[in-house]
Amino acid sequence: MIEAKGLEQIKLELTARLEEYKALRSEIVATLSSAYLTTNLTLTAAGILLAGVPFIIHYKTPFLFLLASYGFYFIAWTQLRYEQVVFNMSNHIISVVAPGVRHALGLIIDVPINRFADILSWEESGRRSNHPKMAWSHPIEAARYILPLFAGFVTAVSYIANRLQMCRVEWWETPLMWLSFASSFALFLYSLFLTLKTRSQLRGSSDKTY
């Protein structure tokens, strides 16, 4: 049996762990809300840009397409950052907070810890559903990351296509034009690499967690 003083310490630890869990879950919810806002931002920006295409072409300002492509890549990076932050907090709950709560409950009630296996187990079950191994689920899982990448690539192509269709391009503008397009295309490849790398790391970490 645990002495009264030791029992009080365990209860304090349990209270601290539960408060930590509440704080982490609140932070996860807030971060996910911000991540969803970036998707809305992508759709809104794409809609505004699409509506402004006639004006961009009429006033011969294709550089706006180029700037838009940079913006879409930045949105993609922001989404990946949110994903990493949420994953790290979720992983801390799975590996530290939840086991601590179950251990404390086992000591207080004096029963095997496996009796509390279902307590605070949502993170693990949620992780399995968010990182499924079925190939058919990969496009669905990566949809929100593909959207800004696709928008960035399309706007970059729109930039170079519009510049090539302009009646007159100064000789000094040609290398600058292709250099600008190359920079946007390089950022597209880099963003695609970051997306695939991040998703691979998160998926691998999920497998190890289980």
Side-chain angles (χ1 to χ4, degrees), residues 77-142:
W77 300 341
T78 303
Q79 287 184 332
L80 292 177
R81 176 56 182 167
Y82 284 142
E83 179 79 4
Q84 289 179 329
V85 170
V86 169
F87 185 88
N88 290 336
M89 289 188 292
S90 176
N91 197 54
H92 181 72
I93 291 175
I94 293 173
S95 60
V96 178
V97 178
V101 170
R102 296 169 191 147
H103 178 72
L105 288 174
L107 293 176
I108 293 172
I109 305 178
D110 194 22
V111 296
I113 298 177
N114 56 18
R115 285 277 303 275
F116 307 103
D118 59 336
I119 293 181
L120 303 186
S121 61
W122 163 245
E123 295 296 328
E124 296 184 28
S125 59
R127 187 80 64 81
R128 291 189 184 95
S129 62
N130 289 335
H131 301 278
K133 297 181 180 180
M134 293 77 72
W136 61 265
S137 66
H138 292 174
I140 300 175
E141 184 184 354

